[in-house]
Amino acid sequence: MKQYRDNYCQISYDPNSNQVYLKWLLPPDEQALLCSYEKGLDMAISNQAASWVTDSSIGFQVDISMQHALAQLAASRLQQTSLKRFARVTPIDVFQEIVTHKICNHINDLSTKRIEFEVFHDPKDAQTWGTLASHLCVN
Protein backbone atom coordinates (compact mmCIF):
# COMPACT_ATOMS: atom_id res chain seq x y z
CA MET A 1 0.00 0.00 0.00
CA LYS A 2 1.35 3.42 -0.97
CA GLN A 3 0.83 6.32 1.41
CA TYR A 4 1.23 10.08 1.83
CA ARG A 5 0.60 11.99 5.04
CA ASP A 6 0.82 15.60 6.19
CA ASN A 7 -0.85 17.63 8.94
CA TYR A 8 -4.15 17.84 7.05
CA CYS A 9 -4.68 14.44 5.52
CA GLN A 10 -3.57 10.90 4.89
CA ILE A 11 -3.76 9.47 1.37
CA SER A 12 -3.31 5.81 0.54
CA TYR A 13 -3.59 3.59 -2.49
CA ASP A 14 -4.75 0.00 -2.04
CA PRO A 15 -3.83 -2.22 -5.01
CA ASN A 16 -6.30 -4.92 -3.90
CA SER A 17 -9.27 -2.59 -4.32
CA ASN A 18 -7.52 -0.34 -6.90
CA GLN A 19 -8.67 2.62 -4.82
CA VAL A 20 -7.25 5.91 -3.59
CA TYR A 21 -8.45 6.81 -0.08
CA LEU A 22 -8.02 10.36 1.22
CA LYS A 23 -8.87 10.92 4.89
CA TRP A 24 -9.01 14.46 6.21
CA LEU A 25 -7.40 14.84 9.65
CA LEU A 26 -7.90 18.63 9.95
CA PRO A 27 -10.07 21.05 8.00
CA PRO A 28 -7.87 22.34 5.15
CA ASP A 29 -7.47 25.85 3.84
CA GLU A 30 -7.60 26.24 0.05
CA GLN A 31 -3.87 25.68 -0.44
CA ALA A 32 -3.87 22.48 1.65
CA LEU A 33 -7.03 21.25 -0.10
CA LEU A 34 -5.51 21.67 -3.56
CA CYS A 35 -2.13 20.27 -2.53
CA SER A 36 -3.78 17.17 -1.09
CA TYR A 37 -5.90 16.57 -4.17
CA GLU A 38 -2.81 17.06 -6.38
CA LYS A 39 -1.00 14.36 -4.38
CA GLY A 40 -4.02 12.09 -4.57
CA LEU A 41 -4.44 12.64 -8.31
CA ASP A 42 -0.76 11.86 -8.86
CA MET A 43 -1.28 8.63 -6.91
CA ALA A 44 -4.44 7.79 -8.88
CA ILE A 45 -2.70 8.40 -12.21
CA SER A 46 0.49 6.49 -11.43
CA ASN A 47 -1.49 3.48 -10.15
CA GLN A 48 -4.35 3.66 -12.68
CA ALA A 49 -6.83 3.66 -9.79
CA ALA A 50 -10.45 2.93 -10.69
CA SER A 51 -12.01 4.68 -7.69
CA TRP A 52 -11.42 7.37 -5.09
CA VAL A 53 -12.90 7.82 -1.62
CA THR A 54 -12.55 11.09 0.25
CA ASP A 55 -13.37 10.71 3.94
CA SER A 56 -14.55 14.12 5.14
CA SER A 57 -16.32 12.72 8.18
CA ILE A 58 -14.60 15.30 10.40
CA GLY A 59 -17.01 17.76 8.76
CA PHE A 60 -15.80 21.05 7.34
CA GLN A 61 -17.17 23.64 4.95
CA VAL A 62 -15.74 24.03 1.46
CA ASP A 63 -16.31 27.70 0.59
CA ILE A 64 -17.19 28.89 -2.93
CA SER A 65 -13.59 29.72 -3.84
CA MET A 66 -12.42 26.27 -2.72
CA GLN A 67 -15.28 24.62 -4.65
CA HIS A 68 -14.31 26.35 -7.89
CA ALA A 69 -10.58 25.75 -7.44
CA LEU A 70 -11.12 22.06 -6.68
CA ALA A 71 -13.45 21.59 -9.66
CA GLN A 72 -10.92 23.28 -11.97
CA LEU A 73 -8.06 21.12 -10.67
CA ALA A 74 -10.00 17.87 -10.89
CA ALA A 75 -11.38 18.61 -14.36
CA SER A 76 -7.93 19.52 -15.66
CA ARG A 77 -6.44 16.19 -14.52
CA LEU A 78 -9.41 13.80 -14.77
CA GLN A 79 -8.62 12.82 -18.38
CA GLN A 80 -5.20 11.50 -17.23
CA THR A 81 -6.81 9.16 -14.71
CA SER A 82 -8.54 5.79 -14.94
CA LEU A 83 -11.05 6.85 -12.29
CA LYS A 84 -14.63 5.69 -12.78
CA ARG A 85 -16.11 6.48 -9.37
CA PHE A 86 -15.67 9.10 -6.65
CA ALA A 87 -17.25 8.73 -3.21
CA ARG A 88 -17.27 11.32 -0.44
CA VAL A 89 -17.93 10.41 3.18
CA THR A 90 -19.59 13.19 5.16
CA PRO A 91 -21.37 13.64 8.44
CA ILE A 92 -25.15 13.40 8.10
CA ASP A 93 -25.65 16.93 6.82
CA VAL A 94 -27.72 17.86 3.78
CA PHE A 95 -25.48 20.89 3.12
CA GLN A 96 -22.43 18.60 2.78
CA GLU A 97 -24.33 16.49 0.25
CA ILE A 98 -25.42 19.53 -1.76
CA VAL A 99 -21.86 20.89 -1.90
CA THR A 100 -20.52 17.50 -2.97
CA HIS A 101 -23.05 17.26 -5.80
CA LYS A 102 -22.32 20.84 -6.82
CA ILE A 103 -18.56 20.23 -7.05
CA CYS A 104 -18.89 16.88 -8.85
CA ASN A 105 -21.41 18.27 -11.33
CA HIS A 106 -19.07 21.20 -11.98
CA ILE A 107 -16.18 18.77 -12.59
CA ASN A 108 -18.32 16.74 -15.02
CA ASP A 109 -19.39 19.96 -16.80
CA LEU A 110 -15.77 21.08 -17.21
CA SER A 111 -14.36 17.74 -18.33
CA THR A 112 -14.95 15.59 -21.39
CA LYS A 113 -14.53 12.55 -19.13
CA ARG A 114 -17.43 11.83 -16.77
CA ILE A 115 -17.14 10.22 -13.36
CA GLU A 116 -19.83 8.66 -11.18
CA PHE A 117 -20.10 10.11 -7.69
CA GLU A 118 -22.00 9.40 -4.53
CA VAL A 119 -22.19 10.66 -0.94
CA PHE A 120 -21.93 8.23 1.98
CA HIS A 121 -21.95 8.53 5.76
CA ASP A 122 -20.04 5.30 6.42
CA PRO A 123 -16.50 4.89 5.03
CA LYS A 124 -16.93 1.13 4.53
CA ASP A 125 -20.02 1.66 2.36
CA ALA A 126 -18.10 4.22 0.27
CA GLN A 127 -15.14 1.88 -0.17
CA THR A 128 -17.39 -1.01 -1.18
CA TRP A 129 -19.24 1.12 -3.75
CA GLY A 130 -15.95 2.42 -5.13
CA THR A 131 -14.46 -1.06 -5.36
CA LEU A 132 -17.30 -2.05 -7.66
CA ALA A 133 -15.68 0.28 -10.23
CA SER A 134 -12.79 -2.16 -10.59
CA HIS A 135 -15.27 -4.94 -11.36
CA LEU A 136 -16.98 -2.71 -13.93
CA CYS A 137 -13.65 -2.23 -15.72
CA VAL A 138 -13.20 -6.00 -16.02
CA ASN A 139 -16.71 -6.70 -17.32
Side-chain angles (χ1 to χ4, degrees), residues 69-81:
L70 179 55
Q72 291 284 342
L73 170 64
S76 72
R77 308 252 345 250
L78 191 58
Q79 197 64 38
Q80 301 168 322
T81 74

Side-chain angles (χ1 to χ4, degrees), residues 25-78:
L25 307 172
L26 291 172
D29 58 18
E30 188 169 322
Q31 181 179 352
L33 179 89
L34 297 177
C35 178
S36 297
Y37 273 93
E38 280 278 3
K39 297 280 187 195
L41 285 164
D42 289 343
M43 196 177 286
I45 292 166
S46 66
N47 293 289
Q48 298 180 329
S51 65
W52 177 306
V53 174
T54 292
D55 186 341
S56 302
S57 45
I58 62 167
F60 60 89
Q61 301 303 323
V62 181
D63 68 28
I64 299 292
S65 174
M66 292 166 79
Q67 292 174 35
H68 288 292
L70 179 55
Q72 291 284 342
L73 170 64
S76 72
R77 308 252 345 250
L78 191 58

Side-chain angles (χ1 to χ4, degrees), residues 75 78-79 107-114:
L78 191 58
Q79 197 64 38
I107 291 167
N108 281 334
D109 289 346
L110 293 172
S111 178
T112 56
K113 180 178 179 176
R114 307 218 24 106

